[in-house]
């Protein structure tokens, strides 16, 4: 008879050495590794695990917290604890200026977006300076959660002059496709990449634990004239993205 997750929990108290929470942690990791519990499956409640394993709820909580920090489990407020979904890693070149939509389509991935914000606003001082806005000019802001094959991968927050994007609601899938229609698609960009830990809000959107590793990318994009057309701050899941750059030896 094959083992159940309850059998794994029952073996915790008497199996192996080390602190109880570490034994439970190893037991859950093994259950995930062997497919006894699968990505997306809900873990039994803290109370049920403690009762089955005959250990304290504090011990269960500590083991679960470590597994959440390691990205093996995720906790959803009001729903419980789940095995983290397996996310296909995406390799993106840093030598081409492409949109998220184009990147995912090229890989044959199914793309969707969840709009977080889009509209015309009074610009911040930073937006005024970067985009070179005139007095009284509005800024178009768009923010969305980018999802590929059902997995949230990135959060994009872009700012453009309202003269370039007068109707943010007209964007369907690709911002760059919309800019291309009016001859305002950027031809080059400067990107700055930094490693950051996710705050609670962005972590919930990306379906990972608060504090999880991520990549913050600031992109400043230019028209052929040299004018800055777009300023975007994006957050990419650290467990889903590899950015690749080809380097050549200068003569």
């Amino acid at each position: 008879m094959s083992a159940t997750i309850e059998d794994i929990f029952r073996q915790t108290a008497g199996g192996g050495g080390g602190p109880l929470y570490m034994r439970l942690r190893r037991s859950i990791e093994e259950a995930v590794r062997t497919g006894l519990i699968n990505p997306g499956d809900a873990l039994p409640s803290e109370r049920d695990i403690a009762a089955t394993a005959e250990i304290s709820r504090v011990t269960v909580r500590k083991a679960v917290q470590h597994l959440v920090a390691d990205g093996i489990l995720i906790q959803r407020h009001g729903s419980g604890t789940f095995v983290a979904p397996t996310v296909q890693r995406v390799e993106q070149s840093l030598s081409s200026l492409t949109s998220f939509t184009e990147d995912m389509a090229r890989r044959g991935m199914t793309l969707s977006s969840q709009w977080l914000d889009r509209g015309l606003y009074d610009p911040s001082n930073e937006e005024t300076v970067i985009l070179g806005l005139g007095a009284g000019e509005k800024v178009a802001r768009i923010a969305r959660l980018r999802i590929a094959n059902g997995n949230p991968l990135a959060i994009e927050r872009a700012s453009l002059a309202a003269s370039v994007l007068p109707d943010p609601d007209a964007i369907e899938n690709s911002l760059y496709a919309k800019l291309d229609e009016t001859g305002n698609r950027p031809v080059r960009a400067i990107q700055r990449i930094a490693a950051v830990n996710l705050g609670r809000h962005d972590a919930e959107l990306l379906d990972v634990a608060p504090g999880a590793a991520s990549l913050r990318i600031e992109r400043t994009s230019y028209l052929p004239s040299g004018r800055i057309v777009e300023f975007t701050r994006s957050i990419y899941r650290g467990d889903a993205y590899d950015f690749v750059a080809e380097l050549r030896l200068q003569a």
Side-chain angles (χ1 to χ4, degrees), residues 128-141:
T128 298
V129 172
I130 291 176
L131 297 172
L133 302 179
E137 190 171 359
K138 297 286 188 179
V139 65
R141 292 182 191 147

Side-chain angles (χ1 to χ4, degrees), residues 52-65:
T52 302
E54 298 182 347
I55 56 180
S56 73
R57 292 177 64 176
V58 173
T59 299
V60 176
R61 191 175 305 127
K62 189 170 183 180
V64 168
Q65 287 173 344

